[in-house]
Amino acid sequence: MSTSLMRLAVAGAILATPGAAAAHATLEEANAKAGSMYKAVMRVPHGCDGQATHTLSIQLPNGFIAAKPMPKAGWDLKVKQGPYDQTYDYFGTAMSEGPVEVVWSGGQLEDFHYDEFVVRGRIVDMPDGTALAFPTTQICADGEVSWSELAAPGQDPHDLDRPAPILMVSSSAHEGHGGHGGHGSSDTSAAIPEPVIVGDLKIEASWTRATPPGARVGAGYLVITNTGDEPDVLVGGSAPFASLIEIHEMSMIDGTMRMRPIDGGLVIAPGATEKLQPGGNHVMFMGLTEGIEEGSPVIATLEFERAGTVELMFTPGPMGGGSPFGGDDGAHGGGHGHGNHSHSN
Ligand SMILES: [Cu+2]
């Protein structure tokens, strides 16, 4: 049927029926902990519109690293390698690339059959409540079904015709203190530096992450409050340990979270507090000329359109870990440390 492709191109309007909701490709276990191994079992309940599926591909999200697919009898297995969104620490090894897509082909999943496709990998540390999409495509003789739609902000995922299978990641930080063990920093959280005031801006809790050997990029996180009546814009900065500073945002591109420079910089509206944190907006230290080590704070200069430049100390947390100040963003109330003024270093 040569019309199948055209029908697919106009998507759900034609094919969506209430009954179809039960037949989505889904993950058997849709919840996992950050910092754990996760076995993604993709459940595929049928072929495409009457035809058998001969090829199935799963795109692996950022933050799901060192993935290994399970071979299936009767199917050829191919793993596509590619760059990760950042350099991750994998048990002491810097990992900046790896499997990004798995393709099983040459099989025969009949429309009236059900099958499962398995990939195991590591979920890196990420903020509580992060949604990881595993866009999945079934290819048949005359067309394909792509489970790759993502809910826009405020949209109910149930309204999607072809939703991408989603894994919800919860943070082990919510289990209380010391959940990570090993690096020993959880019960000796670094003192939060005094807020730095520059113009109408109050800047708090600036931190970074220790980088694995050979890493070329690092990220900076901080909380900026605009106490004035005019908007200000974080446009960039400079640092002696990096060749360039960019201000990045995260956005969904082709079903994966990717980071990219924010056009024109990050606006801090009057009265607003902007939290730059893992999984969201961040300061990107590009072209690291030296690694960032836990216990050795680094100094960088940030530049704001109105407030001008400000020198900040970024306290490194553990490699791939959370804020050295304890909380998700380090900006929880009270208990500011002494003798750790950002501007005096
Ligand atoms: Cu970035």
Side-chain angles (χ1 to χ4, degrees), residues 215-241:
R216 282 171 300 187
V217 295
Y221 310 108
L222 63 159
V223 180
I224 309 166
T225 302
N226 185 350
T227 61
D229 303 322
E230 303 274 351
D232 206 339
V233 185
L234 173 57
V235 289
S238 62
F241 57 91

Side-chain angles (χ1 to χ4, degrees), residues 26-32 38-41 43 166-168:
T26 51
L27 288 163
E28 181 177 68
E29 179 53 65
N31 294 281
Y38 170 66
K39 188 172 94 171
V41 178
R43 304 183 293 187
I166 297 286
L167 172 70
M168 290 304 298

Side-chain angles (χ1 to χ4, degrees), residues 136-162:
T136 297
T137 302
Q138 298 176 242
I139 304 178
C140 301
D142 291 329
E144 61 176 52
V145 176
S146 187
W147 305 98
S148 58
E149 292 179 339
L150 299 162
Q155 187 183 11
D156 183 346
H158 295 107
D159 293 341
L160 299 174
D161 298 317
R162 301 288 178 79

